Amino acid sequence: MGYPNDVLTDDEVVVVHQHPHVKALLAPGLALVVATALGGWGLAWSTGDSVSDGVATTVAVAVAVVWLAALVWFVAKLVSWRTTHFVITDRRVMFRQGILTRSGIDIPVLRINSVQFRHGLVDRILRTGTLIIESASDDPLEFEDIPRVEKVHALLYARLDDRLDDEPDRFPKA
């Protein structure tokens, strides 16, 4: 079945299942492109007639090390991005992350006190942001790089409102 369907309870329905915004991959992706371009220029320069074999070898090793570091950073971020899940069901909010060591949190919808979002200019342009959930007993939890954060905020608030409407009156009217 695959995640998140294999961790759902009976009759639980997934409303939102997202990975962080692709913005999280921009810095390592740009670093890989720059390392590739500079590495290509460095290798082309080092094969010139005026460069000794020792210098050419040193440049080639340096280019390889820098390029491999950029590649490892990009691949690590890509795998981390792919293994991070933000899920809203009709009963709870789930957040899972990690590659070798996984961690996660589940927040029952009925335990949520408030839902907020925050995004700056760049986040607004990219349609992403930070979702802040305050539950009954914990400090507020911040989930960064949530795609379409305003829509997710509204959806989560609607789920919370629906669940509260389904509850019997806790305080009967006198």
Side-chain angles (χ1 to χ4, degrees), residues 119-151:
H119 55 183
L121 180 61
V122 174
D123 285 342
R124 289 178 69 188
I125 291 169
L126 296 175
R127 298 175 50 204
T128 184
T130 301
L131 187 69
I132 304 160
I133 299 175
E134 184 177 346
S135 63
S137 62
D138 297 325
D139 292 333
L141 298 169
E142 295 190 7
F143 302 100
E144 296 180 355
D145 295 330
I146 300 297
R148 297 179 306 279
V149 70
E150 288 185 51
K151 191 174 191 176

Side-chain angles (χ1 to χ4, degrees), residues 71-150:
L71 179 65
V72 166
W73 185 34
F74 177 75
V75 169
K77 283 291 195 177
L78 180 66
V79 170
S80 175
W81 173 83
R82 188 73 178 115
T83 59
T84 300
H85 301 269
F86 180 78
V87 180
I88 298 174
T89 72
D90 57 342
R91 297 180 188 168
R92 60 186 163 157
V93 175
M94 297 185 290
F95 183 76
R96 302 285 191 274
Q97 66 181 0
I99 300 166
L100 299 176
T101 303
R102 296 216 22 101
S103 63
I105 187 167
D106 290 2
I107 306 168
V109 171
L110 290 176
R111 305 256 321 179
I112 295 175
N113 288 337
S114 69
V115 182
Q116 305 171 36
F117 69 91
R118 178 180 61 238
H119 55 183
L121 180 61
V122 174
D123 285 342
R124 289 178 69 188
I125 291 169
L126 296 175
R127 298 175 50 204
T128 184
T130 301
L131 187 69
I132 304 160
I133 299 175
E134 184 177 346
S135 63
S137 62
D138 297 325
D139 292 333
L141 298 169
E142 295 190 7
F143 302 100
E144 296 180 355
D145 295 330
I146 300 297
R148 297 179 306 279
V149 70
E150 288 185 51

Side-chain angles (χ1 to χ4, degrees), residues 29-44:
L30 183 62
L32 182 60
V33 168
V34 168
T36 301
L38 290 177
W41 178 81
L43 290 176

